[in-house]
Amino acid sequence: FERSNFYTADQEANIDWGGFGTAPMFVGEHPRWGCCYQNLNLGEVYLAADRHGQIDTLFRKFSYTARQIAQQWGEAKVSKEVRQALDQNQPTRKFTVLHAVYPRTDRDPGKRDSRNLPWASIYCELDHEHLLEEGGYRDFPYNVSRYFVMPGELFGRGLGMMALPDVKELQVRVGDTTRAGQLRMAPPVILPNDMFAGTP
């Protein structure tokens, strides 16, 4: 369980859960450890819910280097732009990748292949509209914890958001105090036009 990165991802998710109110976590496969937990950047995530208010759709837009894309899907499946970056010795050049997971409504339950599983999974290079992988999941692979959800809202509200008005007011007060101190130490001075500071 330690090798799955669960404890690190869970600690980061708890911070996001309390501060921002929403903590998405991805549970994926790892070639050596079996599974791997990954805490996600909330700014990369777009959510949708079913009629019960449960999150069942997640779109994630993130950046991968050319090397990471080739490691994940193999050079044979990447776009020509990624292949060019690798050929030109630019493995750290970044590309935008989209991962979309949503309920699959056009599947055949009698088939057991990945394209007929309950949840569809699509990976593509967003900049070049190049499909990297089309598959699926038996269960929703994202765990989206929400602290406090108002009716009709998708993203939760955390303690940090509740304290946001007070934080903004405190920032204004600190700014005013800083400016007042600067004016006291170096106040504006009125001088005749033919004088300059430092002359008697």
Side-chain angles (χ1 to χ4, degrees):
F1 209 63
E2 294 178 358
R3 294 179 176 179
S4 68
N5 196 45
F6 172 77
Y7 295 111
T8 301
D10 185 59
Q11 182 178 4
E12 295 171 352
N14 285 333
I15 296 174
D16 291 342
W17 180 69
F20 303 110
T22 305
M25 185 186 298
F26 177 63
V27 185
E29 296 181 358
H30 193 282
R32 286 183 293 176
W33 317 131
C35 73
C36 182
Y37 292 83
Q38 181 182 4
N39 186 47
L40 305 181
N41 183 343
L42 190 57
E44 299 176 345
V45 172
Y46 305 85
L47 306 175
D50 61 15
R51 63 189 180 92
H52 301 291
Q54 300 297 315
I55 301 298
D56 67 347
T57 300
L58 190 146
F59 281 53
R60 179 190 174 208
K61 184 175 69 172
F62 58 98
S63 295
Y64 255 12
T65 64
R67 176 174 174 265
Q68 290 172 326
I69 294 176
Q71 285 178 334
Q72 180 72 26
W73 292 282
E75 292 190 26
K77 293 184 178 181
V78 304
S79 66
K80 63 179 182 180
E81 288 80 6
V82 173
R83 195 173 296 109
Q84 286 175 356
L86 295 172
D87 293 340
Q88 295 172 2
N89 198 24
Q90 298 176 339
T92 59
R93 180 180 168 188
K94 291 187 176 182
F95 297 86
T96 302
V97 178
L98 176 70
H99 186 206
V101 179
Y102 53 90
R104 181 177 272 133
T105 57
D106 57 348
R107 71 187 186 97
D108 184 355
K111 296 182 179 179
R112 296 186 177 181
D113 61 300
S114 62
R115 297 192 179 188
N116 286 282
L117 294 175
W119 267 271
S121 172
I122 305 294
Y123 282 97
C124 67
E125 292 178 36
L126 195 59
D127 297 330
H128 313 117
E129 298 182 359
H130 177 80
L131 180 65
L132 291 168
E133 177 185 347
E134 181 179 0
Y137 295 98
R138 290 183 175 84
D139 299 300
F140 192 58
Y142 288 100
N143 177 25
V144 184
S145 301
R146 295 177 291 174
Y147 186 82
F148 181 74
V149 183
M150 294 291 290
E153 291 184 343
L154 291 174
F155 290 86
R157 301 187 183 201
L159 298 176
M161 296 182 66
M162 296 177 186
L164 188 59
D166 294 332
V167 172
K168 287 185 174 181
E169 181 181 0
L170 182 60
Q171 288 177 335
V172 172
R173 290 180 179 271
V174 171
D176 291 342
T177 302
T178 302
R179 283 191 295 272
Q182 291 173 342
L183 289 173
R184 183 165 184 175
M185 293 177 62
V189 179
I190 300 177
L191 297 173
N193 292 333
D194 57 349
M195 293 184 62
F196 59 91
T199 60

